[in-house]
Amino acid sequence: MSFLKNLSLIKETDEGIKLTVAGLLFVGKELSIQKLMPQAECIYLHYSDNNTEEYDSRLDLKLPIISVLDRLTEKIQNFNHLINIQVGLFRLEIYNFSEKVFQEALLNAYTHRRYDSPGSIYVKHYSDKLVIESPGGFLADINENNIITHPSLPRNKLIAETLQRLRYVQRSGQGIDIIFKEMLSMGKPYPEYTVYNDAIRLTLYSATEDMEFVKFIAETQDKRLQQFSLSELMIMRYLYENKEISLSQAAKLTQLSINDVRHSLRTLENEALIEVSGKVYMLTAQTYDRVKSDIKYVQDKAITYLKAKSLILDYLETHESINNEKIRMLCRCSKKQASTYTKKMRDENILEMIGKSIHTKYVKK
């Protein structure tokens, strides 16, 4: 009894000791939940590959939260396919749907849903995705563009605190971070949030898009003896899929301030995982060699130079000369990078250098 009281799952009233709403959702009997909170329901639907419009299995659960979590985890694991990836001396197990991710997502739904709404939580299980729908939109000014970094605002604080005390979640407010980090480190697509006025849908995709990236992340984390932060992981994933990223792009991607994302970029740069090329960041040759190829690295470097050369020549079509400062503005690059471009163009017999020091300018041959 004192345990329930310490968790605020029961309270003393003039009529005696009664369960709180949170208490009902954690230790209430099925009949009590059906009678007193019928909206506290989770409905599981399974869809086959042959028919994604009509479910072939359904489970209606008006049970305590932990019982729902156990039942649905068992259901999803029955269909969960496993891929083994060899990373050095150990095997990395990657399931279609990570148990950690699914459980965090489901507990988030119970923590943030509206209990004054008659709607139920739905878990829709397809072979290529899990869709979790819950009543109630985001609180305050939270949206898809700041959900990672916005301070946590649980709609049902006592439920969140109870889950934390029972060790079902590590710390209140970490759920989104855990979901994103787990999905990205396993090479899966980003979690996808769709927001409506009165509901939220979270889609978790099963596909592992690139095994080489997964191996690289696992090996690098093992060598550095610590995991990547979420922002570092997002930057590395972006650079794996794209040639380069600017400071402003990195800030938008990670939902961090310019100063905070600059710190993440600097950390990756100090570990020789990325490098600055003009005004943008790209993977170093060493990193390319591990996740792609040195040929691709050279190709990307060459493309950057070709773009700069084209901009310089276009400028000289309407101007007699150009200097280092103008090239930096034109190509959005550093002083050293501008000097590299002009040296290459001189070596190719395209430009001629006139003057010295701060008076140096370049003309077309």
Side-chain angles (χ1 to χ4, degrees), residues 92-324:
L92 184 64
E93 295 185 343
I94 299 180
Y95 285 92
N96 278 0
F97 304 106
S98 162
E99 183 176 306
K100 183 191 296 186
V101 168
F102 162 70
Q103 290 187 346
E104 285 287 343
L106 182 63
L107 294 179
N108 272 355
Y110 269 98
T111 301
H112 295 284
R113 68 152 292 170
R114 289 189 60 162
Y115 285 96
D116 58 354
S117 167
S120 303
I121 293 174
Y122 279 85
V123 177
K124 299 178 180 179
H125 188 182
Y126 304 84
S127 63
D128 62 337
K129 63 186 177 183
L130 270 177
V131 180
I132 299 176
E133 300 171 345
S134 57
F138 285 133
L139 286 174
D141 59 344
I142 300 176
N143 56 57
E144 303 96 316
N145 299 317
N146 65 13
I147 188 172
I148 298 173
T149 54
H150 196 290
S152 178
L153 293 173
R155 182 175 270 115
N156 306 288
K157 189 176 179 181
L158 184 53
I159 293 176
E161 290 175 348
T162 303
L163 287 170
Q164 181 184 343
R165 290 171 181 168
L166 294 176
R167 305 291 178 87
Y168 276 90
V169 296
Q170 293 182 17
R171 182 164 56 84
S172 180
Q174 273 195 324
I176 301 297
D177 275 32
I178 289 172
I179 291 171
F180 272 78
K181 283 184 72 173
E182 185 79 3
M183 294 287 284
L184 291 180
S185 63
M186 294 299 160
K188 298 184 183 295
Y190 276 81
E192 187 178 280
Y193 284 90
T194 307
V195 183
Y196 305 93
N197 289 335
D198 56 355
I200 296 172
R201 173 188 294 157
L202 170 61
T203 304
L204 305 169
Y205 293 98
S206 65
T208 297
E209 297 179 324
D210 202 301
M211 297 300 180
E212 292 306 314
F213 179 77
V214 175
K215 290 181 183 178
F216 165 74
I217 292 299
E219 289 170 351
T220 305
Q221 289 184 152
D222 186 51
K223 288 179 180 178
R224 75 200 302 242
L225 301 178
Q226 65 177 1
Q227 291 192 341
F228 285 107
S229 69
L230 178 55
S231 59
E232 292 166 357
L233 195 57
M234 293 173 81
I235 291 166
M236 293 302 295
R237 175 69 174 267
Y238 185 91
L239 287 175
Y240 181 78
E241 296 173 345
N242 303 272
K243 185 181 62 138
E244 59 191 32
I245 190 170
S246 67
L247 183 61
S248 59
Q249 284 175 323
K252 183 177 181 181
L253 172 72
T254 59
Q255 301 180 12
L256 293 173
S257 67
I258 291 293
N259 286 336
D260 286 340
V261 79
R262 187 181 279 117
H263 174 74
S264 296
L265 289 163
R266 191 176 296 119
T267 299
L268 295 172
E269 195 177 356
N270 290 339
E271 294 183 20
L273 294 172
I274 67 173
E275 65 182 2
V276 180
S277 178
K279 291 284 187 178
V280 297
Y281 296 84
M282 60 187 297
L283 299 178
T284 61
Q286 181 183 6
T287 306
Y288 258 105
D289 189 46
R290 292 172 61 191
V291 297
K292 291 191 176 181
S293 72
D294 54 351
I295 295 174
K296 180 65 176 171
Y297 173 79
V298 172
Q299 286 175 340
D300 284 352
K301 279 284 195 179
I303 289 170
T304 303
Y305 166 61
L306 289 174
K307 286 181 180 178
K309 182 166 73 170
S310 176
L311 289 169
I312 292 168
L313 289 176
D314 285 346
Y315 181 86
L316 289 174
E317 288 294 326
T318 55
H319 299 78
E320 290 184 2
S321 64
I322 191 170
N323 59 22
N324 188 286

Side-chain angles (χ1 to χ4, degrees), residues 20-71:
T20 61
V21 170
L24 182 64
L25 293 174
F26 278 98
V27 298
K29 294 182 178 180
E30 184 176 357
L31 289 176
S32 298
I33 294 175
Q34 288 180 3
K35 179 181 178 181
L36 302 173
M37 288 192 72
Q39 72 273 33
E41 176 183 45
C42 185
I43 299 174
Y44 168 86
L45 306 174
H46 181 270
Y47 297 82
S48 69
D49 289 338
N50 298 326
N51 188 348
T52 58
E53 299 297 324
E54 298 179 5
Y55 56 84
D56 60 9
S57 176
R58 174 175 176 139
L59 197 59
D60 295 64
L61 301 171
K62 292 182 180 178
L63 300 170
I65 293 175
I66 305 307
S67 297
V68 173
L69 186 69
D70 291 341
R71 291 283 298 277

